[in-house]
Amino acid sequence: MIRNVLGSVVALAGVASAVLSPFRDWYAGRAGQDYRVEDLFGGITAAESGVLVSLLLPFLAAALLVIVGVVLRSRLVVALAGLVVLGFTILWMVRQGQAAGSLVVAGDGSGLQVGVVNALAGGVLMLIGALLMSGRGRGRRSRRERAPVEPYAAPGPDQVDTWPPTQEPGMSVQTSPWPEPEVDPYTGPDPHDPRTRSYPQAPPTETDPRDPVHPPHRPPQG
């Protein structure tokens, strides 16, 4: 989250620098908004340009890409915007060098000026912002979601295996892996015990070898 915020701030700073650059001087006192976009492909001329068809146009497109990339947290989109700014700036430098014979940097304003620096810096900041962003991280979450979850951890060699399994601390009362045997139901006083010999006894029952629960049915009388 912090990386996304930091990368977004750096990328937006690059957008501000790139969009501001066409309104500043680029070469020999000529502002970037005076260069037409079509001159970058056919050769730079002295013809004036409108603002919306000047170098500002690709930079506005790059700014839109950065906004979309920040909202979607997409490093690829932000990096693409930086490449657009750098690509058009370098293409302008090539065309300007062909038109002037060479590119120079002079302190009297007869060569490259601050507008070019703003454009190059803006493109580099966009690339740095894309590198700083961590992206959406969907792959890491999906790997965590697909990881098997063990309901109970396996006991260590120094721990007694208990039944039923429990996650409570300490040892279980029942340490046998098998269930405890059931206690026989009460069948009356013991006739051999002198303390209970005088208690009344239940009358003896006849032993029936048949199933007492599901006795066979007698055939109907004909």
Side-chain angles (χ1 to χ4, degrees), residues 70-91:
V70 168
V71 173
L72 299 179
R73 291 183 294 177
S74 175
R75 304 174 60 185
L76 181 61
V77 176
V78 176
L80 178 61
L83 293 177
V84 169
V85 173
L86 291 177
F88 276 91
T89 304
I90 294 174
L91 181 60

Side-chain angles (χ1 to χ4, degrees), residues 108-187:
D108 57 357
S110 60
L112 294 174
Q113 293 185 274
V114 67
V116 181
V117 177
N118 288 144
L120 293 175
V124 171
L125 286 176
M126 293 179 198
L127 293 179
I128 294 176
L131 292 176
L132 291 176
M133 294 175 65
S134 59
R136 305 186 66 174
R138 180 180 302 173
R140 291 190 294 272
R141 286 197 299 269
S142 61
R143 285 195 294 270
R144 289 197 297 267
E145 293 172 357
R146 291 195 301 265
V149 179
E150 294 293 339
Y152 300 104
D158 57 341
Q159 297 179 355
V160 178
D161 192 7
T162 61
W163 182 269
T166 177
Q167 292 181 337
E168 296 297 330
M171 296 177 57
S172 174
V173 176
Q174 183 178 351
T175 59
S176 173
W178 306 103
E180 293 183 352
E182 296 183 359
V183 180
D184 294 334
Y186 177 73
T187 58

